[in-house]
Amino acid sequence: MKAKYLGLLLIIVFAGLTSCNDYMNMTPTDKTSDKLVWSNENYANMAINYFYADISYLGSFNDYECLAGMTEGLTDEFKYGSMNYNAECYIPSEISYGGSTLTASYVDVYMGEWAHKDSWDGSTYGEIRRVNEALANLKKFGSFSKSVTTRLTAELRFFRGMFYFELMKRYHQAILYTDDLTQINTNKALNAEADCWQFVYDDLEYAGENLQVSTTPNGRLTSGAAYALLSRAMLYAERWDDAKTAAKKVIDMSYSLTTNYAAAFESGNNEAIFQYSYSASDDVTHSFDGFYAPGGDKSNDGNIMTGGFATPTQDMVEEYELATGGKPNWSKWHSTSGVTDTPPYSQLEPRFAATILYNGSSWKNRTIEPFVGGTDGWATWKTDATPNGKTTTGYYLRKYVDESHHFTARQASTHCWIAFRLAEVYLNYAEACYKTNDTPTAVTYVNKVRTRVGLPGIGDLKGDNLMAAIRHERKVELAYEGLYYWDMRRWGLSPTAFTGIRRHGLKIEKNLDDSFTYTYVNVDTENLNYPAKMNRFPLPQDEISNNNQVSQFTEWK
């Protein structure tokens, strides 16, 4: 999409410059020279626009993070319900079950992002090279004012830092390239981990220092976006002081939490630091609603794909606190023979209803019916091999599913992607403060997130208890935003938390008196298994075969 967008602009511009009388002119009109592009500010902006789409590719509406589906589907939060051997169907469950399936080549296909992506115009290293070529051309041909040159450089270095962060969170090492294109070499060793993180830091810090300070989330890149990403990246690098400093720079800007949690995912809200906007009229769309809308939207709203490909688990539901604080006692609803008591959905804090659709939720002027025979329906994992929109957990995803999207009008989704928002930065700051022994500030910023939804503060927690509270708050506040899998991995908790467990749901049956029976069920027929080697993904075989300076990581040999 981004290549088509840029190509059309350039064709229109330069075809219009060619006289119809110049029919013997052999200069091609469907392309232009680097010199012309990088000597005109408007054209340079168009060239950099190419990279903006990459921000959306890295979000939950696309498959860069995991070709098999949303990374939450590899954890206890989300369950893909179909047995069809496809992405967004059985393959996420297969990955979560681990075992002998997780070979180096398999993991590279579904989780690796070194140098390929079937559904993407480029690849991570392909995009890094394009950024470096743009930086080189800007230096070579640019004749702009110092301020314009600095701004263009800052945008490009934001993208390069973003791409290298994505490599580092997967592989812990990378091969560093700059705009000195003479250094490109097939045979090049991996740089040391510390040097790679410094490279990410330098790029994003430069971007933060030199991009515009603006709270407009849907324009060009801002200083806030750069520092938000830097605060995230430095948590992975375990450079706590740098994460703390970057987060504080965002906090000191004029962003503020939305009053209503659900509004934090709407276009142009005051909490959004950067958003990627979609438009049906411009054919810039995604398919998120078709994958995750309630299955009943098909019969109520037209020809939806099927919906309900993955649904929130009971385990995730139980993470939510009561509106007054503290978790409810769910033991009554752990009955495998069923109970008719209504679960305490209405008593839970506001983030629950804003994130998850449950039995009785209001949706598109109807009531969600995730029960056996209901409009949305129930499918038993594996037995009902193709759910066709029915839930296998008793729930549906609400966050980021567009309630105003009516499939009779169009199939494609246009809900914006919020790439960075203030609540995440608050929690980044809290974690970095905890790690630098600034306990009072860590508590303060966890409480800011909780206060927004009316929850009481966490008190005077310290040590491991405080870190547990930070982790809990990230899991609930940032649910289904593409961060949980990577958070658990960087904390080193995945081999324990995602091994030897099964996910659960509530099977709901409607009784003759219109009451419901809720039965606690496994929605896996085998245990999840996260081997420790998944904490660093394997190098792709093509890199090993073509580069005599690298070899496969020891854990993957």
Side-chain angles (χ1 to χ4, degrees), residues 160-220:
R160 188 172 65 183
M162 179 183 77
F163 294 132
Y164 269 115
F165 166 59
E166 290 296 326
L167 290 175
M168 288 301 294
K169 82 180 189 185
R170 289 167 172 79
Y171 303 101
H172 303 182
Q173 286 181 269
I175 300 172
L176 298 177
Y177 291 103
T178 69
D179 54 275
D180 181 359
L181 304 181
T182 65
Q183 298 301 307
I184 296 174
N185 191 333
T186 301
N187 298 309
K188 196 171 176 67
L190 295 169
N191 290 84
E193 182 173 8
D195 292 340
C196 294
W197 281 122
Q198 185 62 42
F199 195 85
V200 172
Y201 175 86
D202 290 342
D203 271 352
L204 295 177
E205 177 66 20
Y206 182 92
E209 287 180 347
N210 293 289
L211 289 172
Q212 61 178 331
V213 176
S214 169
T215 56
T216 300
N218 52 356
R220 300 198 76 82

Side-chain angles (χ1 to χ4, degrees), residues 214-222 225 255 266-277 417-418 420:
S214 169
T215 56
T216 300
N218 52 356
R220 300 198 76 82
L221 282 168
T222 63
Y255 301 101
E266 299 303 321
S267 180
N269 74 80
N270 52 278
E271 182 174 338
I273 298 169
F274 190 85
Q275 75 175 52
Y276 185 85
S277 300
W417 170 246
I418 307 294
F420 310 110

Side-chain angles (χ1 to χ4, degrees), residues 206 232 292 387:
Y206 182 92
R232 183 190 295 178
Y292 302 110

Side-chain angles (χ1 to χ4, degrees), residues 133-418:
E133 288 171 344
L135 285 165
N137 286 327
L138 176 58
K139 286 182 179 179
K140 184 176 181 180
F141 300 118
S143 56
F144 310 119
S145 67
K146 181 178 179 181
S147 62
V148 170
T149 300
T150 300
R151 192 264 302 171
L152 295 171
T153 301
E155 288 193 51
L156 289 167
R157 289 188 66 174
F158 172 93
F159 290 116
R160 188 172 65 183
M162 179 183 77
F163 294 132
Y164 269 115
F165 166 59
E166 290 296 326
L167 290 175
M168 288 301 294
K169 82 180 189 185
R170 289 167 172 79
Y171 303 101
H172 303 182
Q173 286 181 269
I175 300 172
L176 298 177
Y177 291 103
T178 69
D179 54 275
D180 181 359
L181 304 181
T182 65
Q183 298 301 307
I184 296 174
N185 191 333
T186 301
N187 298 309
K188 196 171 176 67
L190 295 169
N191 290 84
E193 182 173 8
D195 292 340
C196 294
W197 281 122
Q198 185 62 42
F199 195 85
V200 172
Y201 175 86
D202 290 342
D203 271 352
L204 295 177
E205 177 66 20
Y206 182 92
E209 287 180 347
N210 293 289
L211 289 172
Q212 61 178 331
V213 176
S214 169
T215 56
T216 300
N218 52 356
R220 300 198 76 82
L221 282 168
T222 63
S223 177
Y227 282 124
L229 179 54
L230 182 58
S231 74
R232 183 190 295 178
M234 291 299 99
L235 293 182
Y236 286 77
E238 298 185 354
R239 291 174 49 162
W240 312 118
D241 286 321
D242 291 330
K244 186 175 178 179
T245 299
K248 188 61 165 62
K249 287 184 177 180
V250 179
I251 291 167
D252 289 342
M253 298 176 187
S254 298
Y255 301 101
S256 59
L257 295 179
T258 60
T259 303
N260 178 3
Y261 174 75
F265 311 101
E266 299 303 321
S267 180
N269 74 80
N270 52 278
E271 182 174 338
I273 298 169
F274 190 85
Q275 75 175 52
Y276 185 85
S277 300
Y278 292 85
S279 168
S281 61
D282 294 324
D283 195 27
V284 181
T285 60
H286 56 90
S287 301
F288 193 80
D289 297 344
F291 285 129
Y292 302 110
D297 283 8
K298 181 175 183 178
S299 58
N300 282 273
D301 199 23
N303 188 28
I304 182 178
M305 210 183 309
T306 57
F309 276 55
T311 54
T313 62
Q314 179 65 24
D315 312 277
M316 182 60 194
V317 170
E318 294 181 18
E319 284 292 320
Y320 289 91
E321 297 177 52
L322 294 166
T324 53
K327 292 184 180 180
N329 183 351
W330 283 93
S331 59
K332 180 186 297 185
W333 293 276
H334 286 190
S335 169
T336 57
S337 57
V339 296
T340 56
D341 296 63
T342 301
Y345 300 137
S346 63
Q347 303 171 47
L348 299 179
E349 51 131 320
R351 291 178 294 191
F352 168 68
T355 304
I356 295 173
L357 291 168
Y358 56 92
N359 188 35
S361 288
S362 176
W363 176 257
K364 290 188 177 181
N365 298 316
R366 68 181 183 90
T367 299
I368 291 294
E369 297 184 352
F371 49 82
V372 176
T375 299
D376 300 287
W378 166 267
T380 299
W381 163 248
K382 202 170 184 177
T383 300
D384 300 319
T386 307
N388 290 322
K390 299 180 179 68
T391 177
T392 53
T393 63
Y395 303 98
Y396 288 95
L397 184 63
R398 183 169 202 153
K399 183 189 282 190
Y400 275 121
V401 179
D402 185 1
E403 189 171 4
S404 68
H405 180 185
H406 295 289
F407 293 92
T408 50
R410 54 179 167 77
Q411 285 291 300
S413 308
T414 57
H415 196 284
C416 66
W417 170 246
I418 307 294

